[in-house]
Amino acid sequence: MSESLYTEIIIDEGKNPQNHGTIENPDISHHDSNPTCGDQITLQMSIKDELIADVKWHRHTEEGKTAEDRNKNCTICMACTSVLTQMIKGKDLDYARNLKKEELLSELGLEYLLKQSPIRIKCALLSLKVLKFGLYSYLAKKLKDSSSLDNLKEEAAHLY
Amino acid sequence: MQRTKLSIENVRKDFAILQRKVHDNKPLVYLDNASTTQKPKQVIDALINYYNNYNANIHRTVYSIGEEATEAYEKTRDKVAKFLNIPMREEIIFVRGTTEGINLVAYAWGRKHIKEGDIIVTTEYEHHSNIVPWQLLVKEKGAKLEYIGVDDNGELILEHLDTYLATGKVKLVTFSLMSNVLGTITDAEKIISKCKEKGVKTLVDAAQAVPHLSVDVEKLGCDFFAFSGHKMLGPTGIGVLWVRRDVLETMDPFHGGGDMIREVHKYEATWNDLPYKFEAGTPNIADVIGFGAAIDYLSELGMDNVRKHEMELTKYTLEKMSQIKGITIYGTRDISKRGGVISFNFHDVHPHDVATIVDGEGIAIRSGHHCAQVLMERLDVAATNRVSFYIYNTKEDVDKLVQSLSKVSELYKL
């Protein structure tokens, strides 16, 4: 699997992930982690006129301490996070909301992980899961009745 | 009859899985034995033989195959007693594994004897199975959990224990005999003798130790002792909890059900004799019998030979690895103080990436926090790679691992 998994693009994106950092007073901020490997992501977005004006991600511990220098997320996780943030930056919320996992994976040629690696797929899709839950919380707050968002929540909960 | 030296070549013939290929015909190199070991033909045959020839429930069956099954099941208890020098067979309780053994103690002993304000002491290099059951217990009881720290050499700082013991509030000290991450062998005799002076109970998590070291439970002198069968050639789902008889007699049942009772009436019941009081329901008969075959196998090899073989491999690996640029090895370099478990990081490549890349070469190593997040925090890492040896591993396996790390360097342009 390593031959196909660790392609140049994945290693490059993983080594130099884009949109790393923090946003002050973000409109959306959501955190999640993978218990098996310790990958952690906080995804932050600022929203202007239904557009994702800016997006940044970083790692931190559960207590909120920054742990950037402690250990990085794995390459697969970082490459996917980098690509995902590039895909959604400047796009409207509907685009992010409707983004399918297959679309993200195909950007890096990783669709086969869905079938072949129940373990590494979690690394690849953590950022998308954080995005979907973040969007859900943001949108649900604006609505009196959030039942129209049940699909989004369902999708986030069963992404992998 | 114990052999004088291991014949690795002969040993390897007993493990069919070592013949298999992974990823485009690469021979499997299995280096994750601290997680679970492979099973020899003898163990698998014992399982098949039970199911094919005398599958029956035990203890309550009066027909011939039931008698045979009961005898084979109970024979394993005697094998465990002999293997670990346990004087009384009724002190040996079959459980699912170390985790269940420790939870049994936390529930059946801890809930009865731990009170508000009491202290339970564990260590920073414990597996989650020797931390979380105690967290649950102290929360319930208003007691406190304290930790013996780990020094930069990967060894326990026993002065911390002295400080806790001096409070007079410690009721239990619980520690692993060998760290599943660093391989450090704990100075158990020292800890236990300090505790005994103060009348404090001790629990030994021997999941990593029993498969690799010669252990004498009576000499050790602890009160509770737990380990798993699947880390020592046996089937999954079977382990042992040993409890000193006078302590066991103070404990209430863990699970209620069949076989653990003497008499059951509408509103009350009385308990069966030891150890059956703690073995409710139909037990894992087949795997207990398979576990007996695993003990036979190891007894024949001789645990001193097992240890000697692993020390050689550990020494060889540490030497080889120290020559690799960008490698960080955790724990002591003194092989007399550590078992065949080596944790390392390679440059700043995440262990999951390292493990996936070497897997592409057919090499199975563990990556992650190894169910020891408290220790990961102490080491200031999120995860490590880990190799761990057993009787079938060779220096060639180590060479292949070292070789495969250059694949990582190549891909990451290190």
Side-chain angles (χ1 to χ4, degrees):
Chain A
M1 190 162 75
S2 68
E3 301 289 333
S4 45
L5 187 53
Y6 291 89
T7 55
E8 206 157 331
I9 169 166
I10 285 176
I11 302 251
D12 284 348
E13 288 286 347
K15 269 186 166 178
N16 305 299
Q18 303 298 300
N19 299 311
H20 179 257
T22 48
I23 294 176
E24 261 182 60
N25 305 317
D27 297 299
I28 300 176
S29 184
H30 194 79
H31 173 81
D32 206 347
S33 60
N34 276 333
T36 51
C37 55
D39 286 342
Q40 309 202 23
I41 290 172
T42 299
L43 195 69
Q44 298 180 319
M45 285 168 270
S46 52
I47 310 297
K48 271 180 202 133
D49 306 326
E50 301 293 300
L51 287 181
I52 299 172
D54 197 10
V55 53
K56 294 266 190 248
W57 69 275
H58 60 268
R59 240 182 86 83
H60 73 186
T61 63
E62 268 170 61
E63 303 84 50
K65 286 185 285 190
T66 56
E68 300 299 338
D69 49 353
R70 202 169 125 193
N71 228 351
K72 291 176 178 171
N73 289 340
C74 73
T75 296
I76 305 303
C77 178
M78 285 203 288
C80 289
T81 309
S82 175
V83 168
L84 175 70
T85 53
Q86 292 170 66
M87 286 171 87
I88 61 171
K89 196 170 175 174
K91 300 275 177 37
D92 59 36
L93 288 174
D94 273 348
Y95 171 81
R97 188 179 160 177
N98 295 322
L99 185 64
K100 296 273 167 280
K101 58 185 170 188
E102 290 79 6
E103 291 174 59
L104 170 63
L105 293 171
S106 73
E107 287 289 318
L108 288 161
L110 291 174
E111 306 95 305
Y112 70 97
L113 285 182
L114 284 170
K115 281 197 176 134
Q116 283 183 22
S117 182
I119 296 173
R120 293 314 297 271
I121 193 69
K122 296 176 184 170
C123 310
L125 292 180
L126 177 63
S127 55
L128 188 62
K129 183 184 174 195
V130 174
L131 170 68
K132 299 269 172 178
F133 268 122
L135 286 172
Y136 172 77
S137 307
Y138 176 76
L139 295 169
K141 247 188 275 172
K142 293 184 151 186
L143 293 174
K144 267 194 190 132
D145 173 16
S146 63
S147 59
S148 64
L149 297 170
D150 284 353
N151 283 348
L152 178 60
K153 197 179 175 190
E154 231 6 57
E155 186 196 356
H158 298 104
L159 206 56
Y160 51 81
Chain B
M1 193 52 171
Q2 188 173 315
R3 297 176 194 171
T4 49
K5 198 177 183 311
L6 281 190
S7 162
I8 302 302
E9 210 179 305
N10 286 340
V11 165
R12 287 182 68 88
K13 284 183 194 151
D14 292 328
F15 294 81
I17 201 169
L18 298 177
Q19 304 305 315
R20 81 156 277 188
K21 309 275 195 287
V22 290
H23 299 305
D24 304 329
N25 230 14
K26 303 224 169 72
L28 172 69
V29 175
Y30 186 76
L31 292 171
D32 191 19
N33 294 287
S35 210
T36 194
T37 62
Q38 299 304 335
K39 321 302 172 198
K41 184 178 182 297
Q42 290 80 345
V43 168
I44 296 165
D45 285 349
L47 295 174
I48 294 170
N49 186 33
Y50 164 72
Y51 282 126
N52 273 340
N53 294 310
Y54 60 102
N55 174 54
N57 214 325
I58 54 165
H59 295 153
R60 58 275 255 183
T61 40
V62 293
Y63 43 83
S64 60
I65 58 170
E67 299 275 17
E68 286 172 29
T70 302
E71 196 190 328
Y73 178 88
E74 289 301 331
K75 212 181 233 171
T76 300
R77 210 184 301 272
D78 295 324
K79 288 174 183 176
V80 171
K82 193 165 169 233
F83 190 65
L84 296 169
N85 196 27
I86 291 170
M88 284 189 263
R89 69 188 307 279
E90 59 269 32
E91 297 172 328
I92 296 165
I93 301 162
F94 288 126
V95 289
R96 274 193 300 155
T98 313
T99 299
E100 190 177 66
I102 295 173
N103 276 278
L104 194 161
V105 175
Y107 187 93
W109 178 84
R111 288 179 114 198
K112 192 166 179 184
H113 295 284
I114 297 296
K115 306 269 182 311
E116 193 178 342
D118 286 347
I119 293 174
I120 293 171
V121 177
T122 185
T123 89
E124 279 183 346
Y125 65 42
E126 295 311 304
H127 189 281
H128 294 162
S129 61
N130 202 15
I131 292 177
V132 181
W134 309 117
Q135 289 177 341
L136 294 171
L137 180 66
V138 298
K139 262 185 200 142
E140 185 184 317
K141 294 290 180 181
K144 218 174 155 189
L145 186 62
E146 299 281 10
Y147 286 84
I148 300 173
V150 174
D151 68 17
D152 291 339
N153 220 15
E155 294 178 59
L156 295 180
I157 306 168
L158 292 186
E159 289 76 24
H160 293 174
L161 175 63
D162 299 333
T163 312
Y164 300 132
L165 287 177
T167 64
K169 290 178 181 169
V170 179
K171 289 290 179 314
L172 175 74
V173 174
T174 180
F175 60 93
S176 56
L177 196 47
M178 189 199 288
S179 157
N180 73 316
V181 176
L182 302 167
T184 315
I185 299 168
T186 308
D187 190 347
E189 285 179 32
K190 202 176 213 171
I191 294 179
I192 292 166
S193 79
K194 279 173 190 278
C195 291
K196 270 190 170 169
E197 271 174 37
K198 304 268 183 184
V200 172
K201 299 275 181 293
T202 46
L203 185 152
V204 174
D205 169 353
Q208 295 297 333
V210 168
H212 306 282
L213 309 171
S214 172
V215 178
D216 184 326
V217 169
E218 198 187 18
K219 195 168 152 233
L220 206 55
C222 56
D223 299 287
F224 308 96
F225 184 92
F227 64 100
S228 301
H230 73 96
K231 292 184 196 291
M232 51 186 291
L233 310 177
T236 51
I238 179 65
V240 165
L241 172 70
W242 170 86
V243 183
R244 182 181 300 290
R245 175 143 198 162
D246 56 334
V247 181
L248 197 54
E249 279 170 349
T250 71
M251 287 162 55
D252 291 332
F254 181 38
H255 293 149
D259 215 23
M260 53 79 70
I261 48 84
R262 178 168 302 283
E263 285 178 34
V264 178
H265 305 287
K266 252 187 173 171
Y267 301 107
E268 62 202 44
T270 51
W271 315 134
N272 199 346
D273 294 334
L274 297 173
Y276 309 111
K277 176 181 166 185
F278 294 97
E279 291 181 3
T282 296
N284 192 350
I285 304 165
D287 293 325
V288 165
I289 292 168
F291 179 43
I295 295 174
D296 289 343
Y297 194 96
L298 287 171
S299 303
E300 201 186 310
L301 292 181
M303 289 311 292
D304 291 337
N305 292 325
V306 171
R307 171 70 176 140
K308 215 172 129 203
H309 172 66
E310 291 179 12
M311 278 173 92
E312 272 172 35
L313 275 182
T314 307
K315 182 167 180 272
Y316 182 76
T317 311
L318 289 172
E319 280 168 11
K320 275 252 162 177
M321 280 190 166
S322 332
Q323 293 162 17
I324 302 172
K325 212 181 114 225
I327 211 161
T328 310
I329 300 168
Y330 302 96
T332 178
R333 303 298 170 97
D334 181 348
I335 56 160
S336 70
K337 287 183 175 174
R338 72 181 296 161
V341 179
I342 301 171
S343 277
F344 66 96
N345 268 313
F346 189 52
H347 295 273
D348 62 351
V349 182
H350 193 283
H352 265 42
D353 299 317
V354 174
T356 300
I357 293 167
V358 305
D359 172 59
E361 306 300 302
I363 301 161
I365 65 168
R366 180 74 185 272
S367 60
H369 53 59
H370 318 290
C371 299
Q373 284 182 321
V374 171
L375 180 63
M376 293 295 114
E377 215 163 279
R378 166 66 184 86
L379 296 174
D380 206 18
V381 294
T384 70
N385 301 284
R386 180 185 72 184
V387 295
S388 51
F389 304 118
Y390 214 26
I391 49 176
Y392 34 70
N393 289 120
T394 63
K395 288 181 180 170
E396 260 173 48
D397 292 345
V398 178
D399 292 342
K400 282 182 186 165
L401 169 72
V402 169
Q403 185 60 39
S404 70
L405 287 178
S406 61
K407 185 93 197 173
V408 181
S409 306
E410 193 188 302
L411 285 168
Y412 278 80
K413 302 186 180 79
L414 298 168

